[in-house]
Amino acid sequence: MLLTIEKLVYGGDGLARLPADSRGPGKAVFVPFVLAGEKIEASIIQEKPGFTRALATAIVEPSPHRIEPPCPYFGGCGGCHYQHAAYDHQLAIKKEILRENLRRIARIELQGDIQVHPSPPWNYRNRSRLRVQIRPEFAAGYFKLASHELLPVEQCPISSPLINLGISALWRMGRAGKVAEGVREVEFFANADDSKMLAEIWCSAETPRAAARAFGEDLCAALPRIEGATAFCAAPASRRPSRSFRKDAGAAVSPLVTVGASELIYQTGKAAFRVSAGAFFQTNRFLIDELPEIVSSGRSGELALDLYAGVGLFSTALASFRHTISVESSQTSAGDLQHNLPRNGKAVHATAEQYLTAPGKKARSGDGAALSQLPQSPDLVVVDPPRTGLGNRVSHALATLGAPRVTYVSCDPATLARDLIAFQAAGYRVDQVHVVDLFPQTFHIESVVQLVR
């Protein structure tokens, strides 16, 4: 059939419609790897009651923004979605999708422009996670598009050069039979200047400790610039090998074995962070200073509250406040957070909901003391939740906390817009909106929304 792509939607697909008939307007059709305005020939691959999925079999009238994808795996790999679009057009797509989600879900009509912060579009990732297959023959790679089937990948142009060396070494070891039978995933994490890295090895529950150690030793021997490798047992199902775009919920996972260092010092232009194996850290190595600058610029006061703090990327940027309280649920990240905080900071190991709704019961500061309540109403609240967003309880608790400013760092425009409804009802208005492109070539949208009341 012949289709015209109306627009791109969050998730990477283009939206078209089947011809209208007597039953009403045409059903929505979602098509990957297309651009707005293109006319395509397409074949249906899935029929649902409310929509249809299709694949483009020919681009009849291409967009002027279409380019030749440089990666040989593009189209089959589920990691990238926009390599067929010029980078400046990718930014325009993300900007419009964010604006449309705020309008449709939260009924927010932005008065000002969305400020866009681009990234170098290639080799930007400092962390990449690969699935490993031992039999019937060795392979390492990512999931195929819309699938849990492994696509073998021997290079990744959005990952750093050092990580690509790690991928190549992993393949050499696999072909030589030096990857332990129980290894399921390997993740590489490189430092700021791409001179050192750590490896995380995720193993099946049956993997012997000796086998995990032997593989870790071999991996460290194969890569001179690797500081260490830590093996973990039974990776949680939520940790998909899709290059780890966001932090997970943060349940503590005890290492099976560690070879060499278990942590890396990540030196940015403005601070140094200890990042341990298993802890979350932002994955774009080029915007690691710009993002916290957007969050903290021009902000000062008595108290700042940093929720979903990770290892303290935003907390350390809030040095202009007299005090900061940083809340993190992951035991591993909370340990790094305590180490990284400046003297004006206090780390709390708790979920945001625990801290805001029952602080005396569950939330504890870094020194183990229970926190009965916030010492005062904060002058600024910074939140950086996972893709699921804040949720109703946290949104409403924050909306009634009384902070004059809230900065929401989001990686999902739909959950962001949903959460903003509670803030609007409490009298907050949008002051600034930023798109910080942490994930070029993908549909993922990192945004910063600054709210005032």
Side-chain angles (χ1 to χ4, degrees):
M1 69 183 72
L2 190 66
L3 296 174
T4 299
I5 305 302
E6 296 178 7
K7 63 179 180 179
L8 266 63
V9 296
Y10 187 67
D13 288 340
L15 171 66
R17 293 193 179 275
L18 296 177
D21 57 25
S22 59
R23 293 172 293 181
K27 186 188 292 186
V29 184
F30 296 102
V31 190
F33 311 124
V34 294
L35 296 173
E38 291 188 327
K39 286 185 169 55
I40 66 168
E41 289 180 0
S43 58
I44 292 175
I45 58 172
Q46 185 181 42
E47 288 267 17
K48 294 284 187 178
F51 64 91
T52 296
R53 294 196 181 278
L55 288 178
T57 55
I59 308 297
V60 179
E61 294 183 15
S63 164
H65 304 292
R66 177 174 284 275
I67 63 172
E68 189 66 27
C71 178
Y73 306 107
F74 181 69
C77 178
C80 289
H81 317 89
Y82 290 161
Q83 286 192 23
H84 61 298
Y87 183 58
D88 59 347
H89 189 59
Q90 294 182 32
L91 298 173
I93 291 169
K94 295 182 179 185
K95 183 176 173 179
E96 184 53 37
I97 288 175
L98 176 59
R99 185 185 297 276
E100 193 273 337
N101 273 264
L102 294 177
R103 180 191 302 120
R104 176 174 53 85
I105 299 172
R107 301 291 188 265
I108 295 175
E109 290 288 349
L110 297 178
Q111 300 303 309
D113 196 17
I114 297 175
Q115 301 178 52
V116 177
H117 306 263
S119 165
W122 303 105
N123 298 123
Y124 63 85
R125 291 196 63 84
N126 60 24
R127 187 186 297 271
S128 294
R129 187 184 188 99
L130 294 95
R131 181 77 178 177
V132 173
Q133 169 188 292
I134 305 298
R135 300 186 186 283
E137 60 183 6
F138 176 83
Y142 304 125
F143 286 139
K144 292 182 179 179
L145 179 69
S147 168
H148 284 182
E149 185 180 349
L150 178 67
L151 175 72
V153 168
E154 297 192 45
Q155 59 175 291
C156 180
I158 67 172
S159 297
S160 79
L162 185 56
I163 287 176
N164 274 286
L165 291 178
I167 295 172
S168 296
L170 180 61
W171 273 91
R172 288 195 303 272
M173 292 176 64
R175 288 180 171 127
K178 292 185 177 181
V179 177
E181 190 76 28
V183 173
R184 295 291 178 264
E185 297 170 24
V186 174
E187 179 169 294
F188 296 107
F189 173 56
N191 65 354
D193 63 1
D194 210 34
S195 63
K196 299 177 182 178
M197 69 179 174
L198 290 179
E200 292 180 22
I201 305 164
W202 293 87
C203 305
S204 66
E206 301 79 20
T207 305
R209 188 182 300 269
R213 176 176 294 279
F215 174 61
E217 290 173 347
D218 287 345
L219 189 60
C220 289
L223 284 166
R225 288 190 278 171
I226 191 169
E227 294 290 284
T230 300
F232 297 91
C233 191
S238 61
R239 295 181 65 114
R240 290 193 57 195
S242 58
R243 305 193 190 99
S244 301
F245 281 107
R246 292 296 293 186
K247 55 187 163 184
D248 53 19
V253 181
S254 298
L256 183 65
V257 67
T258 297
V259 177
S262 62
E263 61 194 41
L264 202 63
I265 301 301
Y266 200 101
Q267 178 69 56
T268 74
K270 298 183 178 179
F273 299 90
R274 188 186 80 182
V275 185
S276 298
F280 170 78
F281 196 70
Q282 292 289 356
T283 55
N284 187 306
R285 64 196 186 101
F286 298 123
L287 297 180
I288 208 70
D289 282 317
E290 188 163 352
L291 179 60
E293 175 64 23
I294 294 165
V295 168
S296 63
S297 179
R299 308 289 180 253
S300 62
E302 185 70 17
L303 175 65
L305 177 61
D306 183 11
L307 300 179
Y308 313 91
V311 303
L313 181 65
F314 299 133
S315 299
T316 58
L318 298 172
S320 55
F321 287 82
R322 187 173 178 185
H323 303 286
T324 62
I325 296 176
S326 306
V327 181
E328 172 56 40
S329 64
S330 161
Q331 182 172 324
T332 303
S333 294
D336 289 336
L337 174 65
Q338 178 69 27
H339 178 274
N340 295 331
L341 281 181
R343 289 188 174 183
N344 69 330
K346 180 180 286 289
V348 179
H349 180 208
T351 67
E353 183 174 337
Q354 286 168 347
Y355 184 70
L356 292 171
T357 61
K361 294 181 180 179
K362 294 289 184 78
R364 295 196 170 265
S365 65
D367 58 12
L371 296 176
S372 59
Q373 60 182 11
L374 274 168
Q376 64 193 77
S377 178
D379 300 292
L380 171 68
V381 177
V382 176
V383 296
D384 181 21
R387 286 193 187 95
T388 51
L390 301 175
N392 287 333
R393 287 174 63 85
V394 173
S395 294
H396 284 89
L398 284 174
T400 58
L401 193 59
R405 288 186 174 271
V406 175
T407 298
Y408 193 136
V409 183
S410 167
C411 62
D412 188 297
T415 57
L416 165 68
R418 177 205 66 196
D419 292 341
L420 290 183
I421 294 173
F423 288 96
Q424 289 187 103
Y428 285 89
R429 62 176 178 83
V430 174
D431 183 39
Q432 294 182 22
V433 181
H434 302 255
V435 167
V436 187
D437 195 27
L438 299 188
F439 310 110
Q441 317 306 333
T442 82
F443 69 76
H444 297 280
I445 301 174
E446 191 85 1
S447 60
V448 178
V449 176
Q450 295 173 344
L451 303 167
V452 297
R453 64 182 298 181

